[in-house]
Amino acid sequence: MFGLSNPQRFMAFTGPLAPVLWAAAGVLLAVGAWLSFSVPADYQQGDTVRIMFVHVPAAVWGLGAYGALGVSSFFALVFRHALADAAARAAALPGAALTGLALVTGSLWGQPMWGTWWVWDARLTSVLVLFLFYLGYMALRASIDDEQKAARAAAVLGLVGLVNLPIVKFSVDWWNTLHQPASFLSPGSSGLDPAYVPAFLTMLAAYGVLFSALWLSAIRTEVRRRRVVTLRARRRWRPECSTWT
Amino acid sequence: MLDLDMSPYAAFVWPAWGISALVLGALTARAAIAGRRWKRDLDRLEGAEPRPQAARSAVGPKETGPRP
């Protein structure tokens, strides 16, 4: 496993894995969408229950992506590992997009069910803070020219943002919120209606596999980008190759 | 059996699914385009990169001073 921290071994190992993940994500998304529109409407929420199949997976993997970003940032900061830094950077954009999707689809679900697009309750606010952490992370990286300094500063911000993850997860338990508490795999809750479980789990898996494919592809692209930057820099400094610059 | 009649909530359900499809599609397209671009650049650079031994014999002894 630790052998994969070598970029060359990582590229060799993940080369065949990426197309498999893309194909699996496509199949799971297609099956999940079909299941989502095959289940009966909810007796209370009507057809808006179908928003759950895109809202919850986006929220779960938006949170998971930040976990990946934070753990990678830790390894990048403590061990100065370039691949860990690439992994942290690669998780930012898909994570931000998924968190943004969770906010937008949640708003579209909230209006017909709660009668409001937005409310400043603990769950919604903490997810908005998570989204802002993503934006801050990407903005910080983009604003510093020196890649090593940018990586270190962004890793610190990434680690600080980890504090927000338990707040997002437990906000519905710690405070009175308009947002419902966890209703799946949560002891004591009424649980999800069994009719919705296959569609929900398929979409959850689809988003997870898609995030994995996006993350892996982004790490591979980042490794290649750094290699290109290194080769270009080397050419500029090698007199015998000066005709190529 | 597919049920595509979302009334009276069609104005909420379809945008939620549409935006999700759009964003996920855009992420996928961006990943593919960026991946191809950097792979092409790297292949070109590595293809043009001379092997160290070949480079040395081709250009003679290494220069020590700054280039004019």
Side-chain angles (χ1 to χ4, degrees), chain A residues 22 33-34 36-38 45-48 50-51 53-54 93-94 97-98 101 104-105 108 111-113 117 203 207 210 214 221 224-225 227-228 231-232 234-235 238-240 242 244, chain B residues 1-9 11-17 19-20 23-24 27-28 30-32 34-39 41-42 44-46 48-50 55 59 62-63 67:
Chain A
W22 284 117
W34 185 79
S36 300
F37 287 97
S38 301
Q45 302 192 32
D47 282 308
T48 61
R50 298 181 211 283
I51 298 175
F53 302 125
V54 286
L93 182 63
L98 288 170
L101 273 180
V104 172
T105 54
L108 284 163
Q111 171 60 23
M113 291 300 103
W117 297 101
M203 287 301 283
Y207 271 60
L210 182 64
L214 287 167
T221 299
R224 287 192 178 116
R225 186 190 69 81
R227 177 83 181 132
V228 166
L231 285 175
R232 283 180 182 155
R234 194 190 292 171
R235 283 186 174 188
R238 278 166 56 183
E240 63 266 30
S242 61
W244 295 340
Chain B
M1 190 64 188
L2 280 180
D3 173 18
L4 300 179
D5 179 15
M6 298 294 115
S7 54
Y9 298 116
F12 302 100
V13 177
W14 290 122
W17 275 78
I19 290 168
S20 299
V23 170
L24 297 182
L27 282 174
T28 304
R30 186 190 174 278
R36 250 178 240 161
R37 180 202 157 188
W38 289 108
K39 187 174 187 311
D41 283 7
L42 183 59
R44 200 173 58 221
L45 279 167
E46 285 186 333
E49 183 85 347
V59 298
K62 193 175 178 182
E63 294 178 18
R67 289 176 69 81

Side-chain angles (χ1 to χ4, degrees), chain A residues 101-178:
Chain A
L101 273 180
L103 288 168
V104 172
T105 54
S107 190
L108 284 163
W109 198 5
Q111 171 60 23
M113 291 300 103
W114 299 339
T116 180
W117 297 101
W118 180 263
V119 60
W120 291 100
D121 84 347
R123 170 57 70 85
L124 275 69
T125 307
S126 57
V127 173
L128 179 64
V129 170
L130 177 68
F131 184 62
L132 294 176
F133 263 109
Y134 275 122
L135 296 187
Y137 180 91
M138 290 189 288
L140 186 60
R141 286 205 82 122
S143 64
I144 303 174
D145 286 336
D146 185 325
E147 285 212 22
Q148 286 193 333
K149 281 183 187 165
R152 222 167 298 151
V156 172
L157 182 65
L159 278 175
V160 171
L162 279 179
V163 175
N164 189 43
L165 297 192
I167 297 175
V168 173
K169 173 75 180 80
F170 297 109
S171 54
V172 287
D173 303 321
W174 292 343
W175 293 284
N176 285 323
T177 61
L178 192 55

Side-chain angles (χ1 to χ4, degrees), chain A residues 5-95:
Chain A
S5 59
N6 176 307
Q8 278 186 329
R9 278 190 214 141
F10 173 83
M11 294 298 276
F13 178 79
T14 57
L17 188 61
V20 174
L21 284 175
W22 284 117
V27 170
L28 282 168
L29 278 172
V31 173
W34 185 79
L35 287 174
S36 300
F37 287 97
S38 301
V39 294
D42 185 69
Y43 77 105
Q44 279 184 321
Q45 302 192 32
D47 282 308
T48 61
V49 74
R50 298 181 211 283
I51 298 175
M52 173 179 72
F53 302 125
V54 286
H55 168 70
V56 180
V60 166
W61 289 107
L63 209 63
Y66 201 92
L69 187 155
V71 171
S72 302
S73 293
F74 173 79
F75 283 102
L77 198 63
V78 174
F79 300 107
R80 303 273 171 100
H81 203 288
L83 196 59
D85 177 53
R89 184 177 192 171
L93 182 63

